[in-house]
């Protein structure tokens, strides 16, 4: 049965050229057995007629806060919806929603619902990349709104670039996953029970003297998000962290400062672990001989000799026990894919989660991230901009699905078909 079957889905359509594709979204949702309630903005009707949705959807089009039979259509829609999807979502709708401004029935409904909301942006590349739009999208993601697309491709007026509405098939598939997830929230998905996971987080600090150190900008948020997600799925979590945050309930937290301390704690914990996730930004160099007293300015520029730190990930990769899954990270500022690919083989990891830390709304300090996962079998899987917790969820979903498949292959009673279907799906699609 389709995941959208029986669900009340508010289909918001705003005024962009891609509005015609919303007709196909509507039809697919109806085919899947959903109860579709179309809400059009005035702009949408410039591109597509309301009669089309009237004919296809479960209920007639609604457009106004005032002209409907229901005196409060937005609260009725918002309160009874299982999901609100906006396809296409224009910069105006995204901006109003992010700012909490209700300027029509669609934005009022978005503000009046507690159901999952999925926005599918579509606009010209310049608009999509405008800092105001990017900030509004990041705000919505932080609030738990799901964002599907946009994709790169042909745009209105013959232009090409990022900003094209995702295909109706991808939108409906994402909706299905989101509804399934809402019905079975990850914290209640105990698919990591019995697995012990070691996670490193934060940036190490390599002392020069008692008060100065060589450090980096890592906040530890991505590593802690992995710990929270793995624990909520039932894993036994050890987090080796440089930041003064508590771990999830039941987790073992080991506080460290330097690469050497992280190496010792991680190597000890990893010996019996089923999975090691090296999310920490470990310093690559450290002062050879930190002095015991504060370096004095009057003594001139200190001649600090540096030496490499132990490469924890590489050491774990070289001595990996059978079946252990090793996930490394690559924080890059350029040539992300090439550098990450080199790290994958050089460090003996099963996966490298790579990101461009200079990208907007991704990287060290913020609450969102955008990464590409490289798997040792050559797959390259992008995970688009989302909260760090959702990045952790998507990476763990992938790793666990691979593990299940691998275990299934070892079990002669299971067939190989599911495997090839999964691989071809994940290679070509962004992980939702
Ligand atoms: O080589 P680079 O530092 O870019 O590699 C990043 C990956 O390697 C991360 O997973 C990081 O945690 C790990 N690493 C490590 N020990 C080091 C340096 C990096 O485990 N000394």
């Amino acid at each position: 049965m389709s995941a959208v079957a029986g669900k009340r889905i508010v289909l918001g359509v705003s005024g962009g050229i891609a509005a015609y594709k919303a007709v196909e979204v509507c039809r697919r949702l109806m085919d899947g057995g959903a109860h579709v309630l179309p809400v059009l903005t005035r702009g949408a009707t410039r591109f597509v007629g309301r009669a089309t949705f009237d004919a296809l959807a479960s209920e007639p089009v609604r457009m106004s806060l005032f002209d409907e039979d229901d005196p409060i259509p937005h609260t009725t829609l918002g309160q009874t919806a299982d999901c609100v999807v906006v396809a296409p979502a224009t910069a105006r709708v995204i901006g109003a929603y992010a700012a909490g401004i209700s300027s029509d029935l669609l934005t009022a409904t978005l503000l009046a619902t507690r159901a999952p909301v999925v926005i599918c942006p579509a606009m010209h590349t310049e608009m999509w990349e405008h800092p105001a739009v990017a900030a509004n999208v990041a705000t919505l993601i932080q609030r738990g709104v799901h964002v599907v697309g946009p994709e790169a491709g042909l745009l209105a007026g013959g232009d090409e670039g990022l900003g094209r509405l995702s295909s109706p098939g991808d939108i409906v598939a994402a909706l299905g996953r989101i509804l399934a997830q809402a019905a079975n929230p990850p914290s209640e998905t105990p698919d990591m029970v019995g697995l012990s996971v070691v996670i490193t987080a934060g940036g190490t600090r390599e002392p020069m003297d008692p008060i100065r150190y060589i450090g980096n900008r890592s906040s530890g948020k991505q590593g802690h998000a992995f710990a929270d997600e793995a624990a909520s799925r039932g894993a036994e979590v050890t987090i080796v962290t440089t930041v003064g945050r508590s771990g999830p309930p039941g987790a073992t937290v080991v506080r460290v400062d330097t690469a050497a301390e992280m190496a010792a704690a991680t190597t000890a914990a990893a010996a019996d672990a089923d999975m090691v996730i090296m999310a920490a930004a470990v310093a690559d160099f450290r002062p050879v001989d930190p002095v015991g007293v504060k370096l004095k300015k009057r003594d001139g520029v200190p001649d600090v000799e540096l030496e490499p730190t132990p490469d924890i990930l590489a050491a774990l990769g070289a001595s990996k026990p059978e079946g252990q899954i090793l996930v490394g990270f690559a924080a890059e500022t350029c040539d992300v894919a090439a550098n990450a690919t080199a790290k994958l083989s050089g460090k003996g990891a099963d996966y490298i989660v790579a990101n461009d830390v200079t990208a907007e709304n991704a990287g060290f300090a913020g609450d969102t991230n955008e990464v590409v996962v490289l798997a040792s079998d050559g797959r390259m899987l992008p995970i688009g901009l989302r909260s760090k917790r959702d990045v952790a969820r998507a990476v763990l979903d992938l790793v666990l699905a691979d593990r299940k498949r691998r275990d299934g292959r070892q079990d002669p009673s299971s067939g190989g078909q599911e495997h090839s279907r999964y691989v071809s799906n994940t290679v070509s699609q962004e992980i939702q």
Side-chain angles (χ1 to χ4, degrees):
M1 197 177 67
S2 157
V4 301
K7 302 292 184 191
R8 280 177 71 84
I9 298 179
V10 173
L11 173 60
V13 185
S14 54
I17 183 69
Y20 75 93
K21 290 194 197 166
V23 175
E24 178 68 10
V25 173
C26 179
R27 197 190 59 76
R28 286 182 183 240
L29 289 173
M30 293 297 294
D31 287 352
H35 187 91
V36 182
L37 304 120
V39 174
L40 270 59
T41 65
R42 273 181 7 150
T45 59
R46 298 218 170 230
F47 297 94
V48 62
R50 63 183 286 178
T52 313
F53 290 97
D54 281 341
L56 285 175
S58 311
E59 298 194 16
V61 165
R62 292 176 175 84
M63 286 188 63
S64 165
L65 276 161
F66 306 107
D67 298 337
E68 316 292 339
D69 296 339
D70 184 345
I72 42 170
H74 58 303
T75 47
T76 308
L77 284 167
Q79 285 166 356
T80 60
D82 291 306
C83 182
V84 179
V85 55
V86 187
T90 57
R92 181 191 72 80
V93 167
I94 291 170
Y97 183 27
I101 296 169
S102 143
S103 52
D104 55 17
L105 180 59
L106 178 55
T107 45
T109 304
L110 285 167
L111 297 177
T113 193
R114 295 204 172 115
V117 173
V118 184
I119 60 165
C120 310
M123 61 197 77
H124 255 72
T125 313
E126 292 83 350
M127 293 175 77
W128 173 247
E129 290 179 350
H130 191 284
V133 175
N136 288 335
V137 171
T139 299
L140 293 178
I141 289 172
Q142 275 162 29
R143 292 184 189 143
V145 172
H146 302 270
V147 180
V148 176
E151 291 177 0
L154 215 54
L155 305 171
D159 290 340
E160 238 180 294
L162 196 61
R164 192 177 153 90
L165 184 72
S166 288
S167 75
D170 285 352
I171 292 172
V172 173
L175 268 177
R177 281 191 293 273
I178 289 159
L179 282 164
Q181 205 178 64
N184 184 18
S187 54
E188 289 162 23
T189 312
D191 57 356
M192 294 184 78
V193 170
L195 292 183
S196 72
V197 183
V198 176
I199 297 159
T200 64
T204 65
R205 296 172 168 196
E206 311 303 328
M208 293 169 65
D209 69 14
I211 56 169
R212 300 187 183 90
Y213 59 84
I214 297 177
N216 60 65
R217 296 182 193 279
S218 172
S219 62
K221 285 181 180 173
Q222 186 62 77
H224 278 266
F226 269 98
D228 293 345
E229 177 63 17
S232 78
R233 294 163 81 144
E236 188 191 307
V237 172
T238 299
I239 179 156
V240 182
T241 177
T242 66
V243 299
R245 269 185 61 170
S246 56
T252 303
V253 181
V254 187
R255 270 274 297 128
V256 296
D257 264 324
T258 64
E261 289 168 7
M262 184 170 276
T266 308
T267 313
D272 301 318
D274 298 296
M275 198 184 288
V276 182
I277 300 175
M278 287 288 310
V282 187
D284 290 326
F285 306 103
R286 65 184 171 204
V288 174
D289 199 9
V291 290
V293 290
K294 184 185 170 192
L295 291 161
K296 290 281 183 229
K297 195 157 47 174
R298 65 167 179 265
D299 295 335
V301 178
D303 186 14
V304 181
E305 195 190 338
L306 300 178
E307 65 180 359
T309 54
D311 193 319
I312 312 167
L313 181 60
L316 293 176
S319 60
K320 199 158 73 81
E322 173 80 28
Q324 185 180 76
I325 297 167
L326 188 55
V327 183
F329 278 68
E332 303 293 345
T333 53
C334 60
D335 298 332
V336 178
N339 288 331
T341 307
K343 257 168 224 177
L344 183 66
S345 52
K347 299 203 182 212
D350 299 299
Y351 301 89
I352 288 282
V353 180
N355 64 342
D356 179 350
V357 288
T358 63
E360 187 127 9
N361 301 314
F364 286 141
D367 292 318
T368 56
N369 213 351
E370 184 173 9
V371 303
V372 177
V373 185
L374 279 78
S376 55
D377 59 9
R379 283 171 298 155
M380 202 180 267
L381 309 149
I383 300 179
L385 184 67
R386 63 196 67 188
S387 70
K388 287 187 171 171
R389 178 69 181 260
D390 283 346
V391 168
R393 183 172 302 146
V395 172
L396 289 177
D397 281 349
L398 167 74
V399 170
L400 292 170
D402 282 357
R403 181 177 184 270
K404 200 165 158 194
R405 247 188 17 242
R406 202 185 54 214
D407 292 351
R409 270 208 308 273
Q410 277 158 13
D411 172 3
S413 64
S414 80
Q417 272 186 340
E418 183 62 23
H419 167 61
S420 51
R421 191 165 67 235
Y422 178 80
V423 170
S424 60
N425 280 346
T426 51
V427 167
S428 60
Q429 284 177 18
E430 178 175 303
I431 302 172
Q432 293 297 337

